[in-house]
Amino acid sequence: MTVLLPLHVNKLGALEKRHTSFIEQAVSLAIQQQTNLVISISCDEIKAHVDCIDAIWEQIQAFLGTIYVIQLNTSYKQNEPLFDCNVVFADICGYSVYLEPYIKTVCVSSENSKDIQQQYPSLQIHVLTSDDQTEQPSLEGNTGPIEPLVFQRVAVGGTFDHLHAGHKILLTMTAILAKRSMVVGVTDDCMLLKKKHRDLIAPTQQRVEYVKAYLQRVKRSIAYEVVPITDPFGPTVTDPTIDALVVSKETLKGGDLVNSERDMRGYPPLELRIIDVISSENASVQGKDMDVLKISSSWIREYIANKKSGNSNNKD
C-alpha cells in the first residue's frame, strides 16, 4: 500500500515552493494511511550527468538532503519520527516506479491527474493542492572534485541498523556514483557488543538483507556485494578492483587509514568522496538547515526502548 510522489525538477536545487507542499502532503497522506512513501525525482540535470555523477556530487547530495529534511520535519510534527520514506531518482534507478507492485496510490497535481490516471488506471489518484511555482534558491556545488571521475566499483561501510535518512543518503550516493558494482561492508554483531540497547540491533544477516533490499530500489543496473565485516577495513584492503570509497566527515580519517593499508599491500589508493549533509559538523548546507538529518541509530534504539517502557519522547 505504498504511496508514490513523483516530482520533476529542471535543475538540482531549483525546488519550487509547491514541491515542498507536495512532499508535506504526501507524507501526511501516507501517515494517515499507515503506510510508507516513495518520492521519485526526475531531473534534467541528473539525466545530463548520468554517466558521471561525480560532476554534480555536491549538488545532488545537498538536494537529496533537502528532500529528506522536508520529509523528516513533517514526520516529526505528526509524532511519527520513524516514518519510512525512500527517495529514488527516476533517471538512475533503472525501472518505472509506477509499475512496482507495492505502489497503490500516486500523489499528483491537478494538471497531471488525468494523464496519470489514463497511463496507470490501476493506481489510486490523490490530487495535491498548491499552485505556487516560485523557485527556492539553487544549491550550487562548492567543494566537488576538480576533475570529475567515473568509478566502476565503489565501496561504503556502516552498521546500517534501523535504516534512517542518513543511511539512505549514504547508500544512495554510493550506488549512483558506481558504474558497474558496489561493495557494502556491514558491521558484524561481534563488533557491536558495547552498543547501548544492543538487544534492539537487528542481527547481522538481517541488516545485510535490509541493505540489499533498499539498494534494489535505488539502482538496479549494477551488481551489489553486501558483506559482514569484522574489522574497520573489510573488503577495501583486500579487493584491488575497488576504486572509490564514500565516507562522512566523521569517517574521513578511516578512509585515510584504508589507503595507508592499501599502500602497504601494494594496491592503488581509493578516491575518497565525502557526504557532507549527514555530518555533525554541518548544521546547514548552503543555507539549508540539515540538523534534522543527525538522527542516529542509537537515537532510534533509545526512542524504541522508551516507547516500549511507556516513556516515549520526541526528538528535539
Side-chain angles (χ1 to χ4, degrees), residues 1-4 29 33 98 103-108 113 116-117 120-127:
M1 287 293 293
T2 297
V3 173
L4 169 64
L29 176 67
Q33 294 186 354
Y98 290 97
I103 299 295
K104 300 301 180 185
T105 302
V106 58
C107 296
V108 294
S113 59
I116 297 298
Q117 185 69 77
Y120 308 101
S122 63
L123 294 178
Q124 297 176 8
I125 302 297
H126 179 84
V127 179

PDB file of all heavy atoms in Angstrom, residues 1-4 29 33 98 103-108 113 116-117 120-127:
ATOM      1  N   MET A   1       0.830  -1.212   0.000  1.00  0.00           N
ATOM      2  CA  MET A   1       0.000   0.000   0.000  1.00  0.00           C
ATOM      3  C   MET A   1       0.863   1.260   0.000  1.00  0.00           C
ATOM      4  O   MET A   1       0.516   2.268   0.592  1.00  0.00           O
ATOM      5  CB  MET A   1      -0.923  -0.006   1.216  1.00  0.00           C
ATOM      6  CG  MET A   1      -2.063  -0.991   1.118  1.00  0.00           C
ATOM      7  SD  MET A   1      -3.221  -0.524  -0.177  1.00  0.00           S
ATOM      8  CE  MET A   1      -3.903   0.983   0.511  1.00  0.00           C
ATOM      9  N   THR A   2       2.035   1.213  -0.635  1.00  0.00           N
ATOM     10  CA  THR A   2       2.945   2.357  -0.638  1.00  0.00           C
ATOM     11  C   THR A   2       2.378   3.528  -1.452  1.00  0.00           C
ATOM     12  O   THR A   2       1.783   3.337  -2.509  1.00  0.00           O
ATOM     13  CB  THR A   2       4.312   1.941  -1.212  1.00  0.00           C
ATOM     14  OG1 THR A   2       4.886   0.946  -0.356  1.00  0.00           O
ATOM     15  CG2 THR A   2       5.266   3.124  -1.289  1.00  0.00           C
ATOM     16  N   VAL A   3       2.603   4.734  -0.954  1.00  0.00           N
ATOM     17  CA  VAL A   3       2.217   5.958  -1.658  1.00  0.00           C
ATOM     18  C   VAL A   3       3.403   6.436  -2.480  1.00  0.00           C
ATOM     19  O   VAL A   3       4.549   6.425  -2.015  1.00  0.00           O
ATOM     20  CB  VAL A   3       1.778   7.049  -0.658  1.00  0.00           C
ATOM     21  CG1 VAL A   3       1.553   8.378  -1.382  1.00  0.00           C
ATOM     22  CG2 VAL A   3       0.516   6.624   0.078  1.00  0.00           C
ATOM     23  N   LEU A   4       3.138   6.860  -3.715  1.00  0.00           N
ATOM     24  CA  LEU A   4       4.185   7.375  -4.603  1.00  0.00           C
ATOM     25  C   LEU A   4       3.970   8.866  -4.853  1.00  0.00           C
ATOM     26  O   LEU A   4       2.857   9.299  -5.155  1.00  0.00           O
ATOM     27  CB  LEU A   4       4.159   6.634  -5.942  1.00  0.00           C
ATOM     28  CG  LEU A   4       5.022   7.230  -7.073  1.00  0.00           C
ATOM     29  CD1 LEU A   4       6.501   7.166  -6.705  1.00  0.00           C
ATOM     30  CD2 LEU A   4       4.756   6.507  -8.395  1.00  0.00           C
ATOM     31  N   LEU A  29      -0.425  12.078   4.001  1.00  0.00           N
ATOM     32  CA  LEU A  29      -1.334  11.061   3.470  1.00  0.00           C
ATOM     33  C   LEU A  29      -0.853   9.662   3.819  1.00  0.00           C
ATOM     34  O   LEU A  29      -1.639   8.819   4.273  1.00  0.00           O
ATOM     35  CB  LEU A  29      -1.451  11.202   1.952  1.00  0.00           C
ATOM     36  CG  LEU A  29      -2.307  10.131   1.253  1.00  0.00           C
ATOM     37  CD1 LEU A  29      -3.776  10.262   1.651  1.00  0.00           C
ATOM     38  CD2 LEU A  29      -2.145  10.218  -0.265  1.00  0.00           C
ATOM     39  N   GLN A  33      -2.652   6.865   6.119  1.00  0.00           N
ATOM     40  CA  GLN A  33      -2.979   5.538   5.607  1.00  0.00           C
ATOM     41  C   GLN A  33      -2.143   4.437   6.261  1.00  0.00           C
ATOM     42  O   GLN A  33      -2.276   3.267   5.911  1.00  0.00           O
ATOM     43  CB  GLN A  33      -2.785   5.496   4.088  1.00  0.00           C
ATOM     44  CG  GLN A  33      -3.748   6.392   3.324  1.00  0.00           C
ATOM     45  CD  GLN A  33      -3.631   6.229   1.815  1.00  0.00           C
ATOM     46  OE1 GLN A  33      -2.752   5.531   1.300  1.00  0.00           O
ATOM     47  NE2 GLN A  33      -4.537   6.867   1.081  1.00  0.00           N
ATOM     48  N   TYR A  98       6.213   3.575 -11.134  1.00  0.00           N
ATOM     49  CA  TYR A  98       4.760   3.442 -11.263  1.00  0.00           C
ATOM     50  C   TYR A  98       4.328   1.981 -11.379  1.00  0.00           C
ATOM     51  O   TYR A  98       3.221   1.617 -10.963  1.00  0.00           O
ATOM     52  CB  TYR A  98       4.263   4.180 -12.508  1.00  0.00           C
ATOM     53  CG  TYR A  98       4.332   5.675 -12.453  1.00  0.00           C
ATOM     54  CD1 TYR A  98       5.408   6.361 -13.022  1.00  0.00           C
ATOM     55  CD2 TYR A  98       3.321   6.424 -11.848  1.00  0.00           C
ATOM     56  CE1 TYR A  98       5.469   7.748 -12.990  1.00  0.00           C
ATOM     57  CE2 TYR A  98       3.372   7.814 -11.818  1.00  0.00           C
ATOM     58  CZ  TYR A  98       4.449   8.470 -12.391  1.00  0.00           C
ATOM     59  OH  TYR A  98       4.500   9.841 -12.353  1.00  0.00           O
ATOM     60  N   ILE A 103       3.276  -0.181  -5.183  1.00  0.00           N
ATOM     61  CA  ILE A 103       2.712   1.162  -5.348  1.00  0.00           C
ATOM     62  C   ILE A 103       1.209   1.049  -5.586  1.00  0.00           C
ATOM     63  O   ILE A 103       0.767   0.425  -6.557  1.00  0.00           O
ATOM     64  CB  ILE A 103       3.367   1.916  -6.519  1.00  0.00           C
ATOM     65  CG1 ILE A 103       4.868   2.082  -6.277  1.00  0.00           C
ATOM     66  CG2 ILE A 103       2.692   3.264  -6.732  1.00  0.00           C
ATOM     67  CD1 ILE A 103       5.224   2.943  -5.091  1.00  0.00           C
ATOM     68  N   LYS A 104       0.428   1.642  -4.712  1.00  0.00           N
ATOM     69  CA  LYS A 104      -1.034   1.576  -4.820  1.00  0.00           C
ATOM     70  C   LYS A 104      -1.666   2.957  -5.035  1.00  0.00           C
ATOM     71  O   LYS A 104      -2.720   3.070  -5.650  1.00  0.00           O
ATOM     72  CB  LYS A 104      -1.630   0.939  -3.553  1.00  0.00           C
ATOM     73  CG  LYS A 104      -1.142  -0.483  -3.287  1.00  0.00           C
ATOM     74  CD  LYS A 104      -1.472  -1.418  -4.437  1.00  0.00           C
ATOM     75  CE  LYS A 104      -0.970  -2.831  -4.150  1.00  0.00           C
ATOM     76  NZ  LYS A 104      -1.175  -3.742  -5.303  1.00  0.00           N
ATOM     77  N   THR A 105      -1.036   4.001  -4.498  1.00  0.00           N
ATOM     78  CA  THR A 105      -1.578   5.353  -4.591  1.00  0.00           C
ATOM     79  C   THR A 105      -0.500   6.288  -5.120  1.00  0.00           C
ATOM     80  O   THR A 105       0.655   6.197  -4.713  1.00  0.00           O
ATOM     81  CB  THR A 105      -2.046   5.861  -3.212  1.00  0.00           C
ATOM     82  OG1 THR A 105      -3.028   4.971  -2.690  1.00  0.00           O
ATOM     83  CG2 THR A 105      -2.637   7.260  -3.312  1.00  0.00           C
ATOM     84  N   VAL A 106      -0.862   7.169  -6.040  1.00  0.00           N
ATOM     85  CA  VAL A 106       0.084   8.142  -6.558  1.00  0.00           C
ATOM     86  C   VAL A 106      -0.452   9.547  -6.308  1.00  0.00           C
ATOM     87  O   VAL A 106      -1.627   9.837  -6.563  1.00  0.00           O
ATOM     88  CB  VAL A 106       0.380   7.922  -8.061  1.00  0.00           C
ATOM     89  CG1 VAL A 106      -0.887   7.988  -8.895  1.00  0.00           C
ATOM     90  CG2 VAL A 106       1.409   8.931  -8.563  1.00  0.00           C
ATOM     91  N   CYS A 107       0.396  10.409  -5.768  1.00  0.00           N
ATOM     92  CA  CYS A 107       0.027  11.800  -5.493  1.00  0.00           C
ATOM     93  C   CYS A 107       0.449  12.671  -6.670  1.00  0.00           C
ATOM     94  O   CYS A 107       1.633  12.675  -7.045  1.00  0.00           O
ATOM     95  CB  CYS A 107       0.734  12.287  -4.229  1.00  0.00           C
ATOM     96  SG  CYS A 107       0.240  11.423  -2.731  1.00  0.00           S
ATOM     97  N   VAL A 108      -0.488  13.391  -7.252  1.00  0.00           N
ATOM     98  CA  VAL A 108      -0.185  14.210  -8.422  1.00  0.00           C
ATOM     99  C   VAL A 108      -0.881  15.561  -8.315  1.00  0.00           C
ATOM    100  O   VAL A 108      -1.873  15.714  -7.592  1.00  0.00           O
ATOM    101  CB  VAL A 108      -0.624  13.521  -9.734  1.00  0.00           C
ATOM    102  CG1 VAL A 108       0.188  12.258  -9.977  1.00  0.00           C
ATOM    103  CG2 VAL A 108      -2.103  13.201  -9.706  1.00  0.00           C
ATOM    104  N   SER A 113      -3.271  14.885 -13.178  1.00  0.00           N
ATOM    105  CA  SER A 113      -4.058  13.753 -12.682  1.00  0.00           C
ATOM    106  C   SER A 113      -4.689  12.917 -13.795  1.00  0.00           C
ATOM    107  O   SER A 113      -4.665  11.687 -13.754  1.00  0.00           O
ATOM    108  CB  SER A 113      -5.141  14.241 -11.709  1.00  0.00           C
ATOM    109  OG  SER A 113      -6.003  15.158 -12.357  1.00  0.00           O
ATOM    110  N   ILE A 116      -1.991  10.734 -15.687  1.00  0.00           N
ATOM    111  CA  ILE A 116      -1.530   9.609 -14.869  1.00  0.00           C
ATOM    112  C   ILE A 116      -2.623   8.550 -14.760  1.00  0.00           C
ATOM    113  O   ILE A 116      -2.358   7.348 -14.851  1.00  0.00           O
ATOM    114  CB  ILE A 116      -1.110  10.090 -13.460  1.00  0.00           C
ATOM    115  CG1 ILE A 116       0.075  11.047 -13.566  1.00  0.00           C
ATOM    116  CG2 ILE A 116      -0.766   8.908 -12.563  1.00  0.00           C
ATOM    117  CD1 ILE A 116       1.326  10.444 -14.148  1.00  0.00           C
ATOM    118  N   GLN A 117      -3.859   8.971 -14.598  1.00  0.00           N
ATOM    119  CA  GLN A 117      -4.973   8.031 -14.500  1.00  0.00           C
ATOM    120  C   GLN A 117      -5.114   7.216 -15.769  1.00  0.00           C
ATOM    121  O   GLN A 117      -5.375   6.003 -15.729  1.00  0.00           O
ATOM    122  CB  GLN A 117      -6.279   8.778 -14.217  1.00  0.00           C
ATOM    123  CG  GLN A 117      -7.479   7.857 -13.980  1.00  0.00           C
ATOM    124  CD  GLN A 117      -7.361   7.088 -12.678  1.00  0.00           C
ATOM    125  OE1 GLN A 117      -7.576   7.610 -11.604  1.00  0.00           O
ATOM    126  NE2 GLN A 117      -6.997   5.817 -12.782  1.00  0.00           N
ATOM    127  N   TYR A 120      -1.940   4.805 -15.956  1.00  0.00           N
ATOM    128  CA  TYR A 120      -1.875   3.787 -14.900  1.00  0.00           C
ATOM    129  C   TYR A 120      -3.241   3.664 -14.233  1.00  0.00           C
ATOM    130  O   TYR A 120      -3.435   4.085 -13.089  1.00  0.00           O
ATOM    131  CB  TYR A 120      -0.798   4.164 -13.873  1.00  0.00           C
ATOM    132  CG  TYR A 120       0.535   4.455 -14.494  1.00  0.00           C
ATOM    133  CD1 TYR A 120       0.962   5.774 -14.693  1.00  0.00           C
ATOM    134  CD2 TYR A 120       1.375   3.429 -14.911  1.00  0.00           C
ATOM    135  CE1 TYR A 120       2.184   6.061 -15.273  1.00  0.00           C
ATOM    136  CE2 TYR A 120       2.609   3.698 -15.495  1.00  0.00           C
ATOM    137  CZ  TYR A 120       3.002   5.008 -15.677  1.00  0.00           C
ATOM    138  OH  TYR A 120       4.218   5.280 -16.269  1.00  0.00           O
ATOM    139  N   PRO A 121      -4.202   3.068 -14.923  1.00  0.00           N
ATOM    140  CA  PRO A 121      -5.582   3.013 -14.418  1.00  0.00           C
ATOM    141  C   PRO A 121      -5.749   2.205 -13.131  1.00  0.00           C
ATOM    142  O   PRO A 121      -6.737   2.372 -12.419  1.00  0.00           O
ATOM    143  CB  PRO A 121      -6.350   2.364 -15.574  1.00  0.00           C
ATOM    144  CG  PRO A 121      -5.314   1.647 -16.379  1.00  0.00           C
ATOM    145  CD  PRO A 121      -4.072   2.441 -16.256  1.00  0.00           C
ATOM    146  N   SER A 122      -4.788   1.334 -12.822  1.00  0.00           N
ATOM    147  CA  SER A 122      -4.911   0.518 -11.614  1.00  0.00           C
ATOM    148  C   SER A 122      -4.521   1.270 -10.349  1.00  0.00           C
ATOM    149  O   SER A 122      -4.800   0.813  -9.233  1.00  0.00           O
ATOM    150  CB  SER A 122      -4.045  -0.744 -11.739  1.00  0.00           C
ATOM    151  OG  SER A 122      -2.670  -0.397 -11.837  1.00  0.00           O
ATOM    152  N   LEU A 123      -3.880   2.442 -10.502  1.00  0.00           N
ATOM    153  CA  LEU A 123      -3.431   3.202  -9.340  1.00  0.00           C
ATOM    154  C   LEU A 123      -4.517   4.148  -8.843  1.00  0.00           C
ATOM    155  O   LEU A 123      -5.262   4.720  -9.631  1.00  0.00           O
ATOM    156  CB  LEU A 123      -2.182   4.022  -9.696  1.00  0.00           C
ATOM    157  CG  LEU A 123      -0.912   3.249 -10.030  1.00  0.00           C
ATOM    158  CD1 LEU A 123       0.203   4.204 -10.415  1.00  0.00           C
ATOM    159  CD2 LEU A 123      -0.478   2.372  -8.866  1.00  0.00           C
ATOM    160  N   GLN A 124      -4.573   4.295  -7.529  1.00  0.00           N
ATOM    161  CA  GLN A 124      -5.463   5.290  -6.938  1.00  0.00           C
ATOM    162  C   GLN A 124      -4.800   6.667  -7.050  1.00  0.00           C
ATOM    163  O   GLN A 124      -3.601   6.802  -6.808  1.00  0.00           O
ATOM    164  CB  GLN A 124      -5.722   4.969  -5.466  1.00  0.00           C
ATOM    165  CG  GLN A 124      -6.426   3.650  -5.229  1.00  0.00           C
ATOM    166  CD  GLN A 124      -6.571   3.329  -3.750  1.00  0.00           C
ATOM    167  OE1 GLN A 124      -6.283   4.152  -2.891  1.00  0.00           O
ATOM    168  NE2 GLN A 124      -7.027   2.115  -3.464  1.00  0.00           N
ATOM    169  N   ILE A 125      -5.558   7.664  -7.448  1.00  0.00           N
ATOM    170  CA  ILE A 125      -5.027   9.006  -7.637  1.00  0.00           C
ATOM    171  C   ILE A 125      -5.416   9.895  -6.464  1.00  0.00           C
ATOM    172  O   ILE A 125      -6.580   9.961  -6.089  1.00  0.00           O
ATOM    173  CB  ILE A 125      -5.545   9.637  -8.943  1.00  0.00           C
ATOM    174  CG1 ILE A 125      -5.175   8.765 -10.145  1.00  0.00           C
ATOM    175  CG2 ILE A 125      -5.001  11.053  -9.109  1.00  0.00           C
ATOM    176  CD1 ILE A 125      -3.693   8.624 -10.385  1.00  0.00           C
ATOM    177  N   HIS A 126      -4.412  10.553  -5.888  1.00  0.00           N
ATOM    178  CA  HIS A 126      -4.663  11.542  -4.843  1.00  0.00           C
ATOM    179  C   HIS A 126      -4.181  12.889  -5.378  1.00  0.00           C
ATOM    180  O   HIS A 126      -2.995  13.063  -5.669  1.00  0.00           O
ATOM    181  CB  HIS A 126      -3.925  11.189  -3.550  1.00  0.00           C
ATOM    182  CG  HIS A 126      -4.132  12.192  -2.462  1.00  0.00           C
ATOM    183  ND1 HIS A 126      -5.230  12.179  -1.621  1.00  0.00           N
ATOM    184  CD2 HIS A 126      -3.379  13.266  -2.086  1.00  0.00           C
ATOM    185  CE1 HIS A 126      -5.142  13.186  -0.773  1.00  0.00           C
ATOM    186  NE2 HIS A 126      -4.028  13.860  -1.030  1.00  0.00           N
ATOM    187  N   VAL A 127      -5.097  13.829  -5.538  1.00  0.00           N
ATOM    188  CA  VAL A 127      -4.763  15.127  -6.116  1.00  0.00           C
ATOM    189  C   VAL A 127      -4.231  16.070  -5.044  1.00  0.00           C
ATOM    190  O   VAL A 127      -4.868  16.279  -4.004  1.00  0.00           O
ATOM    191  CB  VAL A 127      -5.990  15.750  -6.817  1.00  0.00           C
ATOM    192  CG1 VAL A 127      -5.628  17.125  -7.391  1.00  0.00           C
ATOM    193  CG2 VAL A 127      -6.491  14.829  -7.925  1.00  0.00           C
TER     194      VAL A 127
END
